[in-house]
Structures are given as structure tokens and as C-alpha cells.
Amino acid sequence: MSKKVKKRGWEHFPHQADVGIRGLGSTKEQAFEQAAVALTAVITSPDRVKPARKVQIRCSSPDDELLLVDWLNCLLYEMATRKMLFSRFEVHIENNNLKALAWGQKRNVAKHCPVVEVKAATYTELSVRQDEAGTWIAQCIVDV
């Protein structure tokens, strides 16, 4: 009998003209953190983004799925207004309130070589759930 292993990480999945992002973790918070890394990876390689500056982010929504969309759209707002990219995240969720820290640096086109601009996280293929092995999965489509 094989033991199922909980997974942590991120991945992209195809969707017509846009991009699917998926975060995986042993906790819901880790899945949200990894979804944020996947969001950054749509724009540039997260390895190119130095976690030099910390930004605090808060949001709340009535359920996990809407909270994921709000979280990702708050990150996009911070990226746009601060002209930053983020590569490291720490998320805490309690009673549908998310408090997070995001570490990153000022966007540098020569260093980060951005591929596309992400406009928004959407409700398409939106899901926050645990699979049969206990791994948390947080995913949605982002509009590019």
C-alpha cells in the first residue's frame, strides 16, 4: 500500500487566451502563498525577484474562493501602485480575514524581463479545496 504524500508548490495550467494558476500546500495558507508565487511566475521567474522589501496586505471575503481572488487582486494592486514584484509570501487566514506579508523588490525590466502583464484574478475555474491526500489546492484563471 503506497502512502499519499502532501504536496507543496505551484503550477500553471492552460486556458485559452489566459493562464491558470494553482497553489498547493499542506495548509490552506500555504496554498494561497503558492498561488501568489504562481501569479508572479506568469510575469517573470520568481527566482529573479529579490525579497528585499516587505509589504503588509489585508483583505477579507465571505468564503475561501472569493478570498483567493481578493488576495491575488490585492497583490496585483500592490505590484501596480508600488511598481514592485513579489517572490516570498506569508499568509494567515482566520474567519475569512487574510493577513499577509509579501517580500519583493522594485520592478526592473532589464533584470526581471516581464513576459506579460496580469490584469486580474478571475472567478473562472476558481476553487479552494482539499484533495483526497489532504493537499490544499487554490486555483483560478488570471486575465493577461
Short mmCIF file of all heavy atoms in Angstrom, two decimals, residues 29-99:
data_model
loop_
_atom_site.label_atom_id
_atom_site.label_comp_id
_atom_site.label_asym_id
_atom_site.label_seq_id
_atom_site.Cartn_x
_atom_site.Cartn_y
_atom_site.Cartn_z
N GLU A 29 -3.31 28.14 3.95
CA GLU A 29 -2.42 29.30 3.88
C GLU A 29 -1.26 29.05 2.92
O GLU A 29 -0.91 29.92 2.12
CB GLU A 29 -1.89 29.66 5.27
CG GLU A 29 -2.92 30.27 6.18
CD GLU A 29 -3.80 29.28 6.94
OE1 GLU A 29 -3.69 28.04 6.68
OE2 GLU A 29 -4.59 29.72 7.78
N GLN A 30 -0.66 27.85 2.98
CA GLN A 30 0.43 27.52 2.05
C GLN A 30 -0.06 27.52 0.61
O GLN A 30 0.64 27.98 -0.30
CB GLN A 30 1.04 26.16 2.38
CG GLN A 30 1.93 26.16 3.59
CD GLN A 30 2.52 24.77 3.86
OE1 GLN A 30 2.19 23.79 3.20
NE2 GLN A 30 3.38 24.71 4.85
N ALA A 31 -1.26 27.01 0.38
CA ALA A 31 -1.82 27.01 -0.98
C ALA A 31 -2.00 28.44 -1.49
O ALA A 31 -1.71 28.73 -2.66
CB ALA A 31 -3.14 26.24 -1.01
N PHE A 32 -2.46 29.35 -0.63
CA PHE A 32 -2.60 30.76 -1.01
C PHE A 32 -1.22 31.37 -1.30
O PHE A 32 -1.07 32.14 -2.24
CB PHE A 32 -3.30 31.55 0.09
CG PHE A 32 -4.81 31.52 0.01
CD1 PHE A 32 -5.52 30.32 -0.02
CD2 PHE A 32 -5.54 32.69 -0.01
CE1 PHE A 32 -6.91 30.30 -0.07
CE2 PHE A 32 -6.93 32.69 -0.06
CZ PHE A 32 -7.61 31.48 -0.10
N GLU A 33 -0.23 31.05 -0.47
CA GLU A 33 1.14 31.55 -0.70
C GLU A 33 1.67 31.07 -2.05
O GLU A 33 2.24 31.85 -2.82
CB GLU A 33 2.07 31.07 0.42
CG GLU A 33 1.80 31.68 1.76
CD GLU A 33 2.48 30.96 2.92
OE1 GLU A 33 3.18 29.94 2.70
OE2 GLU A 33 2.29 31.41 4.07
N GLN A 34 1.47 29.80 -2.34
CA GLN A 34 1.98 29.23 -3.58
C GLN A 34 1.20 29.75 -4.80
O GLN A 34 1.77 29.90 -5.88
CB GLN A 34 1.95 27.70 -3.52
CG GLN A 34 2.93 27.12 -2.50
CD GLN A 34 4.36 27.51 -2.80
OE1 GLN A 34 4.84 27.35 -3.91
NE2 GLN A 34 5.06 28.05 -1.80
N ALA A 35 -0.08 30.04 -4.63
CA ALA A 35 -0.84 30.66 -5.72
C ALA A 35 -0.26 32.04 -6.05
O ALA A 35 -0.19 32.44 -7.21
CB ALA A 35 -2.32 30.78 -5.36
N ALA A 36 0.20 32.74 -5.01
CA ALA A 36 0.84 34.04 -5.22
C ALA A 36 2.16 33.90 -5.97
O ALA A 36 2.49 34.71 -6.84
CB ALA A 36 1.05 34.76 -3.89
N VAL A 37 2.93 32.86 -5.66
CA VAL A 37 4.17 32.60 -6.40
C VAL A 37 3.84 32.29 -7.86
O VAL A 37 4.50 32.78 -8.78
CB VAL A 37 5.00 31.45 -5.77
CG1 VAL A 37 6.23 31.14 -6.61
CG2 VAL A 37 5.41 31.81 -4.34
N ALA A 38 2.79 31.50 -8.08
CA ALA A 38 2.36 31.18 -9.44
C ALA A 38 1.95 32.45 -10.19
O ALA A 38 2.22 32.59 -11.39
CB ALA A 38 1.20 30.17 -9.42
N LEU A 39 1.31 33.38 -9.49
CA LEU A 39 0.94 34.66 -10.09
C LEU A 39 2.19 35.41 -10.54
O LEU A 39 2.26 35.89 -11.68
CB LEU A 39 0.15 35.51 -9.08
CG LEU A 39 -0.22 36.92 -9.52
CD1 LEU A 39 -1.23 36.89 -10.65
CD2 LEU A 39 -0.77 37.71 -8.34
N THR A 40 3.19 35.51 -9.69
CA THR A 40 4.44 36.16 -10.06
C THR A 40 5.08 35.46 -11.25
O THR A 40 5.60 36.10 -12.16
CB THR A 40 5.43 36.18 -8.87
OG1 THR A 40 4.86 36.97 -7.83
CG2 THR A 40 6.78 36.76 -9.26
N ALA A 41 5.01 34.12 -11.26
CA ALA A 41 5.64 33.34 -12.33
C ALA A 41 4.98 33.54 -13.69
O ALA A 41 5.58 33.21 -14.71
CB ALA A 41 5.66 31.86 -11.95
N VAL A 42 3.76 34.07 -13.72
CA VAL A 42 3.16 34.42 -15.00
C VAL A 42 3.91 35.62 -15.59
O VAL A 42 4.08 35.72 -16.80
CB VAL A 42 1.65 34.77 -14.83
CG1 VAL A 42 1.06 35.33 -16.11
CG2 VAL A 42 0.88 33.54 -14.37
N ILE A 43 4.39 36.50 -14.73
CA ILE A 43 5.04 37.74 -15.14
C ILE A 43 6.54 37.54 -15.39
O ILE A 43 7.09 37.99 -16.39
CB ILE A 43 4.83 38.83 -14.07
CG1 ILE A 43 3.33 39.05 -13.85
CG2 ILE A 43 5.54 40.13 -14.44
CD1 ILE A 43 2.99 39.79 -12.56
N THR A 44 7.20 36.87 -14.44
CA THR A 44 8.65 36.67 -14.51
C THR A 44 9.01 35.46 -13.67
O THR A 44 8.19 34.95 -12.91
CB THR A 44 9.41 37.91 -13.98
OG1 THR A 44 10.82 37.75 -14.24
CG2 THR A 44 9.20 38.14 -12.50
N SER A 45 10.24 35.02 -13.75
CA SER A 45 10.70 33.93 -12.89
C SER A 45 10.81 34.44 -11.46
O SER A 45 11.52 35.43 -11.21
CB SER A 45 12.06 33.42 -13.35
OG SER A 45 12.58 32.52 -12.39
N PRO A 46 10.11 33.81 -10.51
CA PRO A 46 10.20 34.27 -9.10
C PRO A 46 11.64 34.29 -8.58
O PRO A 46 11.96 35.09 -7.71
CB PRO A 46 9.36 33.26 -8.34
CG PRO A 46 8.40 32.73 -9.35
CD PRO A 46 9.17 32.71 -10.65
N ASP A 47 12.51 33.46 -9.13
CA ASP A 47 13.92 33.43 -8.72
C ASP A 47 14.65 34.73 -9.03
O ASP A 47 15.68 35.03 -8.44
CB ASP A 47 14.66 32.27 -9.39
CG ASP A 47 14.15 30.92 -8.94
OD1 ASP A 47 13.55 30.82 -7.85
OD2 ASP A 47 14.35 29.95 -9.69
N ARG A 48 14.12 35.51 -9.97
CA ARG A 48 14.75 36.79 -10.33
C ARG A 48 14.36 37.93 -9.39
O ARG A 48 14.91 39.01 -9.48
CB ARG A 48 14.35 37.19 -11.75
CG ARG A 48 14.90 36.30 -12.81
CD ARG A 48 14.42 36.76 -14.17
NE ARG A 48 14.92 35.87 -15.20
CZ ARG A 48 15.43 36.27 -16.33
NH1 ARG A 48 15.47 37.56 -16.62
NH2 ARG A 48 15.87 35.41 -17.20
N VAL A 49 13.37 37.67 -8.53
CA VAL A 49 12.84 38.73 -7.65
C VAL A 49 13.43 38.57 -6.26
O VAL A 49 13.14 37.61 -5.55
CB VAL A 49 11.30 38.69 -7.59
CG1 VAL A 49 10.78 39.81 -6.70
CG2 VAL A 49 10.70 38.77 -8.99
N LYS A 50 14.24 39.52 -5.87
CA LYS A 50 14.88 39.50 -4.56
C LYS A 50 13.87 39.93 -3.49
O LYS A 50 13.23 40.98 -3.62
CB LYS A 50 16.07 40.46 -4.56
CG LYS A 50 16.88 40.45 -3.29
CD LYS A 50 18.07 41.38 -3.42
CE LYS A 50 18.83 41.44 -2.12
NZ LYS A 50 19.92 42.41 -2.18
N PRO A 51 13.70 39.14 -2.43
CA PRO A 51 12.75 39.50 -1.37
C PRO A 51 13.34 40.55 -0.42
O PRO A 51 13.58 40.30 0.76
CB PRO A 51 12.49 38.17 -0.67
CG PRO A 51 13.75 37.39 -0.87
CD PRO A 51 14.28 37.81 -2.21
N ALA A 52 13.58 41.76 -0.95
CA ALA A 52 14.29 42.80 -0.21
C ALA A 52 13.40 43.71 0.62
O ALA A 52 13.84 44.26 1.62
CB ALA A 52 15.10 43.64 -1.20
N ARG A 53 12.15 43.87 0.20
CA ARG A 53 11.26 44.82 0.87
C ARG A 53 9.95 44.14 1.24
O ARG A 53 9.37 43.42 0.44
CB ARG A 53 11.00 46.00 -0.06
CG ARG A 53 10.24 47.12 0.56
CD ARG A 53 10.28 48.34 -0.34
NE ARG A 53 9.10 49.16 -0.06
CZ ARG A 53 8.49 49.91 -0.94
NH1 ARG A 53 8.93 49.97 -2.17
NH2 ARG A 53 7.44 50.60 -0.60
N LYS A 54 9.47 44.39 2.45
CA LYS A 54 8.26 43.75 2.96
C LYS A 54 7.07 44.69 2.86
O LYS A 54 7.16 45.87 3.19
CB LYS A 54 8.51 43.35 4.42
CG LYS A 54 7.34 42.72 5.12
CD LYS A 54 7.72 42.19 6.50
CE LYS A 54 8.22 43.28 7.40
NZ LYS A 54 8.47 42.83 8.78
N VAL A 55 5.93 44.13 2.41
CA VAL A 55 4.68 44.88 2.30
C VAL A 55 3.60 44.07 3.02
O VAL A 55 3.50 42.86 2.84
CB VAL A 55 4.29 45.09 0.82
CG1 VAL A 55 2.91 45.71 0.70
CG2 VAL A 55 5.33 45.94 0.11
N GLN A 56 2.79 44.75 3.81
CA GLN A 56 1.69 44.09 4.52
C GLN A 56 0.41 44.22 3.69
O GLN A 56 0.12 45.29 3.15
CB GLN A 56 1.49 44.73 5.89
CG GLN A 56 0.49 44.00 6.74
CD GLN A 56 0.42 44.58 8.14
OE1 GLN A 56 0.20 45.77 8.32
NE2 GLN A 56 0.63 43.72 9.12
N ILE A 57 -0.33 43.13 3.59
CA ILE A 57 -1.57 43.10 2.81
C ILE A 57 -2.67 42.47 3.66
O ILE A 57 -2.44 41.47 4.34
CB ILE A 57 -1.38 42.31 1.50
CG1 ILE A 57 -0.29 42.97 0.65
CG2 ILE A 57 -2.69 42.20 0.74
CD1 ILE A 57 0.15 42.17 -0.54
N ARG A 58 -3.86 43.07 3.60
CA ARG A 58 -5.03 42.53 4.31
C ARG A 58 -6.22 42.55 3.38
O ARG A 58 -6.39 43.48 2.59
CB ARG A 58 -5.36 43.38 5.54
CG ARG A 58 -4.32 43.34 6.62
CD ARG A 58 -4.69 44.35 7.72
NE ARG A 58 -3.64 44.41 8.70
CZ ARG A 58 -3.75 43.95 9.94
NH1 ARG A 58 -4.87 43.40 10.34
NH2 ARG A 58 -2.76 44.04 10.79
N CYS A 59 -7.05 41.53 3.50
CA CYS A 59 -8.31 41.51 2.77
C CYS A 59 -9.25 40.53 3.46
O CYS A 59 -8.82 39.73 4.30
CB CYS A 59 -8.12 41.15 1.30
SG CYS A 59 -7.33 39.57 0.98
N SER A 60 -10.52 40.62 3.13
CA SER A 60 -11.49 39.69 3.69
C SER A 60 -12.59 39.46 2.68
O SER A 60 -12.88 40.32 1.84
CB SER A 60 -12.06 40.22 5.01
OG SER A 60 -12.72 41.44 4.79
N SER A 61 -13.21 38.28 2.76
CA SER A 61 -14.30 37.89 1.87
C SER A 61 -15.15 36.86 2.59
O SER A 61 -14.70 36.22 3.54
CB SER A 61 -13.75 37.30 0.57
OG SER A 61 -13.25 38.32 -0.26
N PRO A 62 -16.37 36.64 2.11
CA PRO A 62 -17.27 35.73 2.81
C PRO A 62 -16.93 34.24 2.69
O PRO A 62 -17.43 33.44 3.47
CB PRO A 62 -18.65 36.02 2.18
CG PRO A 62 -18.36 36.68 0.89
CD PRO A 62 -17.04 37.37 1.04
N ASP A 63 -16.08 33.86 1.72
CA ASP A 63 -15.70 32.45 1.61
C ASP A 63 -14.29 32.31 1.04
O ASP A 63 -13.69 33.30 0.60
CB ASP A 63 -16.72 31.64 0.78
CG ASP A 63 -16.83 32.12 -0.66
OD1 ASP A 63 -15.80 32.38 -1.30
OD2 ASP A 63 -17.96 32.21 -1.15
N ASP A 64 -13.78 31.10 1.06
CA ASP A 64 -12.39 30.84 0.65
C ASP A 64 -12.12 31.21 -0.81
O ASP A 64 -11.07 31.76 -1.13
CB ASP A 64 -12.01 29.37 0.87
CG ASP A 64 -11.89 29.01 2.33
OD1 ASP A 64 -11.73 29.91 3.17
OD2 ASP A 64 -11.95 27.79 2.63
N GLU A 65 -13.06 30.88 -1.69
CA GLU A 65 -12.86 31.16 -3.12
C GLU A 65 -12.76 32.66 -3.38
O GLU A 65 -11.85 33.12 -4.06
CB GLU A 65 -13.97 30.53 -3.97
CG GLU A 65 -13.85 29.03 -4.13
CD GLU A 65 -14.39 28.24 -2.94
OE1 GLU A 65 -15.09 28.82 -2.07
OE2 GLU A 65 -14.09 27.03 -2.87
N LEU A 66 -13.70 33.41 -2.83
CA LEU A 66 -13.65 34.86 -3.02
C LEU A 66 -12.44 35.48 -2.35
O LEU A 66 -11.86 36.45 -2.84
CB LEU A 66 -14.95 35.50 -2.52
CG LEU A 66 -16.21 35.12 -3.29
CD1 LEU A 66 -17.44 35.76 -2.64
CD2 LEU A 66 -16.11 35.49 -4.75
N LEU A 67 -12.02 34.89 -1.23
CA LEU A 67 -10.83 35.37 -0.54
C LEU A 67 -9.58 35.18 -1.41
O LEU A 67 -8.71 36.04 -1.46
CB LEU A 67 -10.66 34.65 0.80
CG LEU A 67 -9.58 35.20 1.72
CD1 LEU A 67 -9.83 36.66 2.08
CD2 LEU A 67 -9.50 34.35 2.99
N LEU A 68 -9.50 34.05 -2.13
CA LEU A 68 -8.36 33.83 -3.03
C LEU A 68 -8.31 34.90 -4.11
O LEU A 68 -7.25 35.48 -4.36
CB LEU A 68 -8.43 32.43 -3.66
CG LEU A 68 -7.33 32.14 -4.69
CD1 LEU A 68 -5.95 32.13 -4.04
CD2 LEU A 68 -7.61 30.82 -5.41
N VAL A 69 -9.44 35.18 -4.74
CA VAL A 69 -9.48 36.21 -5.79
C VAL A 69 -9.11 37.57 -5.21
O VAL A 69 -8.31 38.30 -5.80
CB VAL A 69 -10.86 36.25 -6.47
CG1 VAL A 69 -10.99 37.47 -7.39
CG2 VAL A 69 -11.09 34.98 -7.28
N ASP A 70 -9.66 37.91 -4.05
CA ASP A 70 -9.32 39.19 -3.41
C ASP A 70 -7.83 39.28 -3.09
O ASP A 70 -7.20 40.31 -3.31
CB ASP A 70 -10.14 39.40 -2.14
CG ASP A 70 -11.58 39.81 -2.43
OD1 ASP A 70 -11.91 40.08 -3.60
OD2 ASP A 70 -12.37 39.85 -1.47
N TRP A 71 -7.26 38.20 -2.55
CA TRP A 71 -5.84 38.14 -2.22
C TRP A 71 -4.99 38.41 -3.46
O TRP A 71 -4.10 39.26 -3.45
CB TRP A 71 -5.54 36.79 -1.59
CG TRP A 71 -4.14 36.28 -1.61
CD1 TRP A 71 -3.73 35.08 -2.12
CD2 TRP A 71 -2.95 36.88 -1.06
NE1 TRP A 71 -2.38 34.92 -1.95
CE2 TRP A 71 -1.88 36.01 -1.29
CE3 TRP A 71 -2.70 38.08 -0.40
CZ2 TRP A 71 -0.57 36.28 -0.90
CZ3 TRP A 71 -1.40 38.36 0.00
CH2 TRP A 71 -0.36 37.47 -0.23
N LEU A 72 -5.27 37.69 -4.53
CA LEU A 72 -4.46 37.84 -5.74
C LEU A 72 -4.65 39.23 -6.35
O LEU A 72 -3.67 39.85 -6.81
CB LEU A 72 -4.81 36.75 -6.75
CG LEU A 72 -4.50 35.32 -6.28
CD1 LEU A 72 -5.06 34.32 -7.28
CD2 LEU A 72 -3.01 35.12 -6.05
N ASN A 73 -5.86 39.76 -6.32
CA ASN A 73 -6.09 41.11 -6.85
C ASN A 73 -5.46 42.18 -5.97
O ASN A 73 -4.98 43.20 -6.49
CB ASN A 73 -7.57 41.36 -7.10
CG ASN A 73 -8.06 40.64 -8.34
OD1 ASN A 73 -7.31 40.47 -9.31
ND2 ASN A 73 -9.31 40.21 -8.33
N CYS A 74 -5.40 41.96 -4.67
CA CYS A 74 -4.66 42.88 -3.78
C CYS A 74 -3.17 42.88 -4.13
O CYS A 74 -2.54 43.94 -4.16
CB CYS A 74 -4.86 42.52 -2.32
SG CYS A 74 -6.44 43.02 -1.64
N LEU A 75 -2.63 41.70 -4.41
CA LEU A 75 -1.23 41.62 -4.83
C LEU A 75 -0.99 42.37 -6.13
O LEU A 75 -0.01 43.11 -6.26
CB LEU A 75 -0.80 40.16 -5.01
CG LEU A 75 -0.46 39.39 -3.76
CD1 LEU A 75 -0.21 37.92 -4.09
CD2 LEU A 75 0.77 39.98 -3.08
N LEU A 76 -1.89 42.19 -7.08
CA LEU A 76 -1.76 42.90 -8.35
C LEU A 76 -1.82 44.41 -8.14
O LEU A 76 -1.08 45.17 -8.78
CB LEU A 76 -2.84 42.45 -9.34
CG LEU A 76 -2.65 41.03 -9.87
CD1 LEU A 76 -3.89 40.57 -10.63
CD2 LEU A 76 -1.41 40.92 -10.74
N TYR A 77 -2.69 44.86 -7.25
CA TYR A 77 -2.79 46.28 -6.93
C TYR A 77 -1.47 46.79 -6.34
O TYR A 77 -0.96 47.84 -6.75
CB TYR A 77 -3.95 46.53 -5.95
CG TYR A 77 -4.02 47.95 -5.46
CD1 TYR A 77 -4.61 48.94 -6.23
CD2 TYR A 77 -3.47 48.31 -4.23
CE1 TYR A 77 -4.66 50.26 -5.79
CE2 TYR A 77 -3.52 49.62 -3.78
CZ TYR A 77 -4.11 50.59 -4.57
OH TYR A 77 -4.15 51.89 -4.13
N GLU A 78 -0.92 46.03 -5.40
CA GLU A 78 0.36 46.43 -4.79
C GLU A 78 1.48 46.44 -5.82
O GLU A 78 2.33 47.33 -5.82
CB GLU A 78 0.72 45.51 -3.62
CG GLU A 78 -0.23 45.59 -2.44
CD GLU A 78 -0.24 46.94 -1.74
OE1 GLU A 78 0.76 47.69 -1.81
OE2 GLU A 78 -1.28 47.26 -1.12
N MET A 79 1.49 45.46 -6.72
CA MET A 79 2.50 45.43 -7.78
C MET A 79 2.40 46.67 -8.66
O MET A 79 3.41 47.28 -9.00
CB MET A 79 2.34 44.17 -8.64
CG MET A 79 2.75 42.89 -7.99
SD MET A 79 2.47 41.51 -9.15
CE MET A 79 2.81 40.12 -8.09
N ALA A 80 1.18 47.04 -9.00
CA ALA A 80 0.96 48.18 -9.90
C ALA A 80 1.29 49.51 -9.22
O ALA A 80 1.99 50.35 -9.79
CB ALA A 80 -0.48 48.18 -10.40
N THR A 81 0.78 49.72 -8.01
CA THR A 81 0.95 51.02 -7.36
C THR A 81 2.36 51.23 -6.80
O THR A 81 2.85 52.35 -6.78
CB THR A 81 -0.09 51.23 -6.24
OG1 THR A 81 0.05 50.20 -5.26
CG2 THR A 81 -1.49 51.24 -6.81
N ARG A 82 2.98 50.16 -6.35
CA ARG A 82 4.34 50.26 -5.80
C ARG A 82 5.42 50.01 -6.84
O ARG A 82 6.60 50.11 -6.55
CB ARG A 82 4.51 49.30 -4.63
CG ARG A 82 3.63 49.61 -3.44
CD ARG A 82 3.79 48.53 -2.37
NE ARG A 82 2.87 48.70 -1.27
CZ ARG A 82 3.12 49.40 -0.18
NH1 ARG A 82 4.28 50.01 -0.03
NH2 ARG A 82 2.22 49.49 0.78
N LYS A 83 5.00 49.58 -8.05
CA LYS A 83 5.93 49.22 -9.12
C LYS A 83 6.91 48.15 -8.63
O LYS A 83 8.13 48.27 -8.79
CB LYS A 83 6.65 50.45 -9.66
CG LYS A 83 5.71 51.45 -10.31
CD LYS A 83 6.44 52.69 -10.75
CE LYS A 83 5.60 53.69 -11.48
NZ LYS A 83 4.29 53.95 -11.09
N MET A 84 6.33 47.11 -8.00
CA MET A 84 7.12 46.03 -7.40
C MET A 84 6.70 44.68 -7.96
O MET A 84 5.62 44.54 -8.53
CB MET A 84 6.92 45.99 -5.88
CG MET A 84 7.54 47.13 -5.12
SD MET A 84 7.27 46.95 -3.33
CE MET A 84 8.34 45.53 -2.96
N LEU A 85 7.56 43.70 -7.75
CA LEU A 85 7.24 42.30 -7.94
C LEU A 85 7.54 41.60 -6.63
O LEU A 85 8.43 42.02 -5.88
CB LEU A 85 8.09 41.69 -9.07
CG LEU A 85 7.78 42.22 -10.47
CD1 LEU A 85 8.86 41.76 -11.45
CD2 LEU A 85 6.41 41.76 -10.92
N PHE A 86 6.82 40.52 -6.34
CA PHE A 86 6.98 39.80 -5.08
C PHE A 86 7.36 38.34 -5.35
O PHE A 86 6.93 37.74 -6.32
CB PHE A 86 5.69 39.84 -4.26
CG PHE A 86 5.26 41.23 -3.89
CD1 PHE A 86 4.24 41.86 -4.58
CD2 PHE A 86 5.89 41.92 -2.87
CE1 PHE A 86 3.84 43.14 -4.25
CE2 PHE A 86 5.51 43.20 -2.53
CZ PHE A 86 4.48 43.82 -3.23
N SER A 87 8.16 37.79 -4.44
CA SER A 87 8.60 36.40 -4.62
C SER A 87 8.43 35.53 -3.37
O SER A 87 8.57 34.32 -3.44
CB SER A 87 10.07 36.36 -5.04
OG SER A 87 10.89 36.96 -4.05
N ARG A 88 8.16 36.14 -2.24
CA ARG A 88 8.00 35.39 -0.99
C ARG A 88 6.77 35.91 -0.26
O ARG A 88 6.53 37.12 -0.23
CB ARG A 88 9.25 35.58 -0.12
CG ARG A 88 9.22 34.78 1.15
CD ARG A 88 10.55 34.87 1.92
NE ARG A 88 10.27 34.63 3.31
CZ ARG A 88 10.67 35.40 4.30
NH1 ARG A 88 11.41 36.45 4.08
NH2 ARG A 88 10.35 35.10 5.54
N PHE A 89 6.01 34.96 0.33
CA PHE A 89 4.73 35.32 0.94
C PHE A 89 4.53 34.57 2.24
O PHE A 89 4.94 33.42 2.37
CB PHE A 89 3.58 34.99 -0.02
CG PHE A 89 3.76 35.59 -1.37
CD1 PHE A 89 4.40 34.90 -2.38
CD2 PHE A 89 3.34 36.88 -1.63
CE1 PHE A 89 4.60 35.46 -3.63
CE2 PHE A 89 3.53 37.46 -2.87
CZ PHE A 89 4.16 36.75 -3.88
N GLU A 90 3.88 35.22 3.19
CA GLU A 90 3.47 34.60 4.44
C GLU A 90 2.01 34.98 4.68
O GLU A 90 1.69 36.16 4.84
CB GLU A 90 4.34 35.09 5.59
CG GLU A 90 4.03 34.46 6.92
CD GLU A 90 4.94 35.02 8.01
OE1 GLU A 90 6.17 34.96 7.85
OE2 GLU A 90 4.38 35.53 9.01
N VAL A 91 1.13 33.98 4.65
CA VAL A 91 -0.31 34.22 4.73
C VAL A 91 -0.87 33.62 6.02
O VAL A 91 -0.52 32.50 6.39
CB VAL A 91 -1.02 33.60 3.51
CG1 VAL A 91 -2.53 33.64 3.68
CG2 VAL A 91 -0.60 34.30 2.23
N HIS A 92 -1.76 34.37 6.66
CA HIS A 92 -2.51 33.88 7.82
C HIS A 92 -3.99 34.16 7.55
O HIS A 92 -4.34 35.28 7.18
CB HIS A 92 -2.07 34.59 9.10
CG HIS A 92 -0.62 34.40 9.40
ND1 HIS A 92 -0.13 33.25 9.97
CD2 HIS A 92 0.45 35.19 9.16
CE1 HIS A 92 1.18 33.36 10.08
NE2 HIS A 92 1.56 34.52 9.60
N ILE A 93 -4.82 33.13 7.72
CA ILE A 93 -6.25 33.26 7.49
C ILE A 93 -7.01 32.87 8.75
O ILE A 93 -6.76 31.81 9.31
CB ILE A 93 -6.71 32.38 6.31
CG1 ILE A 93 -5.98 32.77 5.02
CG2 ILE A 93 -8.23 32.48 6.13
CD1 ILE A 93 -6.19 31.81 3.87
N GLU A 94 -7.91 33.75 9.16
CA GLU A 94 -8.76 33.47 10.31
C GLU A 94 -10.12 34.11 10.08
O GLU A 94 -10.19 35.32 9.82
CB GLU A 94 -8.13 34.02 11.59
CG GLU A 94 -8.86 33.61 12.84
CD GLU A 94 -8.15 34.08 14.10
OE1 GLU A 94 -6.91 34.09 14.13
OE2 GLU A 94 -8.86 34.43 15.05
N ASN A 95 -11.17 33.30 10.15
CA ASN A 95 -12.54 33.80 9.97
C ASN A 95 -12.71 34.61 8.69
O ASN A 95 -13.27 35.71 8.70
CB ASN A 95 -12.98 34.64 11.18
CG ASN A 95 -12.95 33.85 12.46
OD1 ASN A 95 -13.30 32.66 12.47
ND2 ASN A 95 -12.53 34.47 13.53
N ASN A 96 -12.20 34.10 7.58
CA ASN A 96 -12.29 34.74 6.26
C ASN A 96 -11.58 36.09 6.18
O ASN A 96 -11.85 36.90 5.30
CB ASN A 96 -13.74 34.88 5.81
CG ASN A 96 -14.38 33.53 5.58
OD1 ASN A 96 -13.73 32.60 5.13
ND2 ASN A 96 -15.65 33.42 5.92
N ASN A 97 -10.67 36.34 7.12
CA ASN A 97 -9.81 37.52 7.08
C ASN A 97 -8.39 37.06 6.80
O ASN A 97 -7.86 36.19 7.49
CB ASN A 97 -9.84 38.27 8.42
CG ASN A 97 -11.21 38.85 8.69
OD1 ASN A 97 -11.72 39.63 7.90
ND2 ASN A 97 -11.81 38.46 9.80
N LEU A 98 -7.79 37.65 5.78
CA LEU A 98 -6.43 37.29 5.40
C LEU A 98 -5.49 38.42 5.77
O LEU A 98 -5.76 39.58 5.46
CB LEU A 98 -6.38 37.03 3.89
CG LEU A 98 -5.05 36.61 3.30
CD1 LEU A 98 -5.27 35.64 2.15
CD2 LEU A 98 -4.23 37.80 2.83
N LYS A 99 -4.42 38.07 6.47
CA LYS A 99 -3.33 39.00 6.77
C LYS A 99 -2.09 38.37 6.17
O LYS A 99 -1.82 37.19 6.39
CB LYS A 99 -3.13 39.17 8.27
CG LYS A 99 -4.29 39.82 8.97
CD LYS A 99 -4.02 39.92 10.45
CE LYS A 99 -5.23 40.45 11.19
NZ LYS A 99 -5.03 40.46 12.63
#
